[in-house]
Amino acid sequence: MQQVSAILPEGLSTGFQPLRLTCAYTSVEGEGFLRVIPPGPEVPRVVSVTDSVCPGAGRTIHSHTVRVSLEEAHRPEDLRAAIDGRPMRPFSFFCSVPDIPRFEIDFRVPARISEEKNMECWLGHRYLGAMEIEVTRDRFWWWRRLQPVEFSQALRRFIWEQQDKLQRRRAAPAISARRATTGNGFPPDSFSGLPGRRNPHEAAYTASRSESPW
């Protein structure tokens, strides 16, 4: 037994609508009717509050930035948050699930705040509730969250970038020397700068142009 879920297209009218189910590469077909009812009113709510850099840390905020997941709201810019009465400044938001919709809004924690605090959220004039978060001042929180595999990959990437820059620097003088030419397009010669001496390439080119009827 298998269960198939599908999203209805936009613009369907309410009432009974015909439904036809076709299975690929087979002749099995199913027909029936489904009843479409209008959706209920949206109820904005805060789904989760996490650290914006390390969501796996939960409500323990290490980076002094908080990420609030807001559902069933089309105006995430109206979301306001405060810690112990001190307002928090939002600096970014994005839509993570368009169908619900769900937005992720990032706030900066005010300075000189640590330990467990009470965080409250409002959407316009609607009060969305309060939750407890723990703000730490650990400056090296990212070091303990870094996995050994991630550290080795970052180190290998850094070494590869340094080697690539070194190779480019070594190849740059050779390329500039090959591209260096005199004013008439001929390669430079050691005796071209001496008085009374002419570059043999330049002399041959001048002679060929003088002999040409064009």
Side-chain angles (χ1 to χ4, degrees):
M1 179 181 295
Q2 296 182 354
Q3 179 179 349
V4 180
S5 301
I7 299 176
L8 298 179
E10 298 289 340
L12 286 180
S13 59
T14 59
F16 289 95
Q17 298 291 341
L19 174 67
R20 183 178 182 183
L21 179 63
T22 304
C23 188
Y25 306 107
T26 61
S27 58
V28 178
E29 295 183 357
E31 295 184 357
F33 291 88
L34 56 86
R35 185 179 181 182
V36 181
I37 59 176
E42 294 184 347
V43 182
R45 59 184 179 275
V46 174
V47 179
S48 63
V49 175
T50 61
D51 188 281
S52 62
V53 179
C54 294
R59 296 188 179 181
T60 303
I61 310 303
H62 299 272
S63 62
H64 283 263
T65 54
V66 180
R67 173 164 296 178
V68 179
S69 297
L70 179 66
E71 285 189 356
E72 295 191 17
H74 293 276
R75 297 184 59 86
E77 62 273 10
D78 293 344
L79 183 67
R80 296 181 294 112
I83 296 181
D84 287 350
R86 299 180 60 181
M88 303 172 61
R89 182 172 62 88
F91 63 92
S92 68
F93 70 88
F94 63 93
C95 182
S96 58
V97 184
D99 298 332
I100 296 178
R102 175 185 295 175
F103 288 90
E104 312 292 338
I105 304 96
D106 295 335
F107 292 88
R108 295 191 185 278
V109 178
R112 295 184 296 274
I113 287 184
S114 61
E115 300 180 352
E116 293 186 0
K117 297 295 181 180
N118 193 28
M119 177 178 172
E120 298 178 296
C121 295
W122 295 266
L123 185 65
H125 298 286
R126 181 192 293 266
Y127 182 71
L128 301 182
M131 63 286 299
E132 291 185 357
I133 61 174
E134 182 180 358
V135 183
T136 63
R137 293 186 177 182
D138 188 2
R139 297 182 178 180
F140 301 98
W141 59 270
W142 55 272
W143 180 260
R144 290 193 295 272
R145 294 289 178 179
L146 190 64
Q147 300 295 328
V149 178
E150 297 177 355
F151 177 76
S152 61
Q153 291 178 355
L155 182 61
R156 290 175 57 186
R157 190 182 302 109
F158 174 77
I159 295 175
W160 179 83
E161 291 178 355
Q162 296 301 321
Q163 292 178 352
D164 184 61
K165 290 181 181 179
L166 183 60
Q167 292 177 0
R168 290 183 180 179
R169 292 177 180 176
R170 290 178 178 177
I175 295 175
S176 59
R178 288 197 300 268
R179 292 181 178 178
T181 57
T182 59
N184 54 12
F186 292 101
D189 202 344
S190 58
F191 56 81
S192 60
L194 299 178
R197 303 296 298 274
R198 298 183 62 187
N199 193 322
H201 301 284
E202 183 179 357
Y205 179 74
T206 306
S208 63
R209 288 182 61 87
S210 61
E211 294 175 0
S212 176
W214 306 103

